[in-house]
Amino acid sequence: MTKKKQIHLNGFVQNSPSPHSTGLWKHAKDKGIHHNRLQYWTETAKVLERGKFDAVFIADVLGTYSKYGNSHDAAVRNAVQLPAHDPLMPITAMAAATEHIGFAPTISATYAQPYSLARQLSTLDHLTEGRVAWNVVTSYLDSEAINLGLSGRMPKELRYDRADEFLEVVYKLWEHSWEEDAVVYDRDRDVFADPEKVHGINHEGEFFQVPGIHLTEPSPQRTPVLFQAGASPRGRDFAAKHAEAVFTKGHSLEALRNYSQDLRRRTVRQGRNADDIAIFPMVLPIVGSTEEEAISKYEDLQSHVSYEGTAAMLSGHTGIDFSQYDPDQYIEDMETDAVQGNLDMYTKDPNKKWTLREAIKNHGLGNGTARFIGTPEQIADQIEEWVTVGDADGFNIAQGYSLETFREFVDHVVPELQKRGIYRTEYEGKTLRENLFGRGSHLPDNHPARKLGVRVES
Ligand SMILES: Cc1cc2nc3c(=O)[nH]c(=O)nc-3n(C[C@H](O)[C@H](O)[C@H](O)COP(=O)(O)O)c2cc1C
């Protein structure tokens, strides 16, 4: 019998209280206010590893949601992805408490420097023994740009141009600076590493000049697994060129199917195979022992959502100040320099025109993403449908209340997926790349990173 397509799961988090379900920090079962403690993170990683998840996927922003009414007050009052603590710091503690699960922090290619970011991620890849990914984003909040020394958010095209070159630089550092056998630890000859085999990358580009060698020796995966989140046409081309996996968000199966077809076509156009890119839609599961119980849990979660906080979040996501809008006004279709996908969810829905009030209500729980509500069997049915019809390869599982949503999913839905033969019962490999793609720990040969400069052996 042929093996059914195996799905992959990431737990979607952020170093902030209830980051993706605005206002849920106040729910009696929510533990998000403890995000500032190591134990919160080690517990998160252990729960997800018990459920054989591929990775803890960590979103991040470097600014406040202050588009709404041109003020950060609503974001402060309602903890709208605020406090926004650093996404990298909890990773080594989580790695020490687990053995297999990976870690996929989000870092903006718009504000980081490739030379130092390459070192940070290589260090983490060493310390986790090859369990690190990078979710490459180009950011959307004006407040980030302003606090990082710019006059405002750079135009999207420019952000993606910079990100393209950013990746070229880190590829050179990760893949080509140190040859595989450069480190010799030769006590007799008194040589730690052979300078003939460690190369300066001599990068000279439009945005970056980096002559140097990479500061770390090759890590188990060299280049961390590359995730990307960005949904505009330019964002999709960027993903098609670079990403091994993408994170996407939407509320309908039809939208996912269209997205998957489009992204795979673009990936082939970049000289890669259609299935060289894995698609991870975001989903909020709400599980009950009966359908009625699941619906009543949904209603309870929804009653904790903050209207003002979600309005501030939606303004930040879309770059539109909704404090100026009548709540019963329809949201208009337009191009945005913020997150196109978040606006499209409410303007390009073939089934419905969304008023602001409806969009806010939807956006508050799991950032407006699809919800799978029902018994473990019903949720597993939906997962299967999104895989077979929507062409998903995995899911980023969001939370209503943290960590309870993860616990319920791991205890009740994971066994059902395993029973159906569509989900692992044991981790297959050692590194994250092996677990996700069932091949080696390094990037495949047809990836653009492998085609630049000095070749390294697999
Ligand atoms: C599903 C999804 C998740 C995202 N997560 C983040 C994030 O955590 N941090 C961030 O700065 N940007 C995030 N972004 C936005 C990206 O930074 C992206 O570059 C931005 O939306 C502009 O490009 P786009 O219109 O191509 O999506 C996300 C985008 C999508 C579609």
Side-chain angles (χ1 to χ4, degrees), residues 16 56 95 111 125 149 168 196 218 228 240 314 327 373 385 442 445:
S16 185
V56 183
Y111 304 115
D125 201 48
E168 193 182 322
E196 295 285 311
Q228 186 267 7
L314 194 61
I373 304 171
E385 194 181 18
H442 292 159
D445 280 341

Side-chain angles (χ1 to χ4, degrees), residues 59-60 106 137-140 156 159-160 229-232 235 247 338-340:
D60 188 43
T106 296
V137 298
T138 58
S139 300
Y140 51 91
K156 192 175 295 186
R159 301 205 302 269
Y160 277 116
S232 62
F247 168 34
V339 192
Q340 192 66 49

Side-chain angles (χ1 to χ4, degrees), residues 12-14 20 57-62 65 81 106-108 110-111 135-141 144 156 159-160 228-236 247-250 259 280 282 317 336-342 367 396:
F12 185 50
V13 298
Q14 190 164 335
H20 308 121
F57 193 107
I58 313 166
D60 188 43
V61 287
L62 265 164
Y65 282 77
Q81 299 194 346
T106 296
I107 304 168
S108 174
T110 299
Y111 304 115
N135 178 35
V136 185
V137 298
T138 58
S139 300
Y140 51 91
L141 295 172
E144 296 171 302
K156 192 175 295 186
R159 301 205 302 269
Y160 277 116
Q228 186 267 7
S232 62
R234 181 69 203 275
R236 292 178 188 201
F247 168 34
T248 179
K249 187 171 79 174
Y259 169 83
F280 280 71
M282 175 174 168
H317 279 161
T336 174
D337 251 352
V339 192
Q340 192 66 49
N342 274 301
N367 275 187
N396 270 12

Side-chain angles (χ1 to χ4, degrees), residues 4-297:
K4 285 189 178 170
K5 180 172 173 181
Q6 299 294 294
I7 62 156
H8 294 269
L9 297 172
N10 297 320
F12 185 50
V13 298
Q14 190 164 335
N15 198 346
S16 185
S18 61
H20 308 121
S21 291
T22 316
L24 263 291
W25 64 270
K26 60 186 178 283
H27 194 287
K29 285 187 173 171
D30 194 278
K31 299 282 184 286
I33 58 167
H34 301 306
H35 75 104
N36 55 351
R37 298 196 195 155
L38 279 184
Q39 205 228 333
Y40 174 83
W41 291 103
T42 52
E43 192 59 28
T44 301
K46 284 197 268 190
V47 167
L48 295 175
E49 185 167 82
R50 182 157 61 75
K52 313 287 181 221
F53 274 47
D54 287 85
V56 183
F57 193 107
I58 313 166
D60 188 43
V61 287
L62 265 164
T64 54
Y65 282 77
S66 37
K67 185 82 192 170
Y68 184 73
N70 197 24
S71 158
H72 53 243
D73 288 357
V76 170
R77 191 164 28 247
N78 300 288
V80 181
Q81 299 194 346
L82 194 78
H85 291 201
D86 191 276
L88 294 182
M89 302 284 177
I91 290 178
T92 50
M94 289 193 280
T98 55
E99 246 182 279
H100 302 282
I101 193 160
F103 308 96
T106 296
I107 304 168
S108 174
T110 299
Y111 304 115
Q113 279 292 326
Y115 182 65
S116 49
L117 180 81
R119 180 174 81 147
Q120 283 178 301
L121 289 178
S122 292
T123 304
L124 276 178
D125 201 48
H126 277 287
L127 293 174
T128 62
E129 297 181 35
R131 293 193 270 153
V132 168
W134 171 25
N135 178 35
V136 185
V137 298
T138 58
S139 300
Y140 51 91
L141 295 172
D142 262 325
S143 64
E144 296 171 302
I146 288 165
N147 285 294
L148 289 160
L150 305 176
S151 56
R153 188 180 50 212
M154 286 191 259
K156 192 175 295 186
E157 285 292 314
L158 191 62
R159 301 205 302 269
Y160 277 116
D161 287 346
R162 186 183 192 274
D164 241 327
E165 192 185 324
F166 192 115
L167 285 184
E168 193 182 322
V169 178
V170 292
Y171 292 158
K172 287 175 178 170
L173 292 165
W174 283 327
E175 297 288 327
H176 306 293
S177 182
W178 292 62
E179 292 183 39
E180 203 59 26
D181 53 356
V183 179
V184 290
Y185 306 126
D186 190 334
R187 289 190 171 86
D188 299 335
R189 285 197 301 130
D190 195 7
V191 175
F192 178 84
D194 180 354
E196 295 285 311
K197 296 188 171 177
V198 181
H199 311 282
I201 64 166
N202 298 319
H203 178 86
E204 284 187 30
E206 190 186 337
F207 299 92
F208 306 105
Q209 273 71 44
V210 183
I213 64 167
H214 188 29
L215 287 173
T216 86
E217 64 203 276
S219 67
Q221 299 182 112
R222 283 189 176 257
T223 298
V225 172
L226 296 166
F227 269 86
Q228 186 267 7
S232 62
R234 181 69 203 275
R236 292 178 188 201
D237 279 337
F238 181 84
K241 177 172 172 192
H242 297 284
E244 300 175 88
V246 287
F247 168 34
T248 179
K249 187 171 79 174
H251 37 231
S252 80
L253 180 56
E254 195 182 352
L256 175 66
R257 197 184 51 216
N258 293 340
Y259 169 83
S260 302
Q261 281 172 354
D262 180 60
L263 188 70
R264 295 204 195 277
R265 259 197 304 269
R266 288 175 196 262
T267 305
V268 170
R269 248 186 263 142
Q270 294 286 341
R272 302 171 68 200
N273 303 315
D275 60 358
D276 279 347
I277 195 155
I279 297 172
F280 280 71
M282 175 174 168
V283 161
L284 173 67
I286 302 174
V287 51
S289 52
T290 61
E291 191 176 344
E292 295 69 41
E293 189 189 313
I295 291 169
S296 96
K297 273 189 184 174

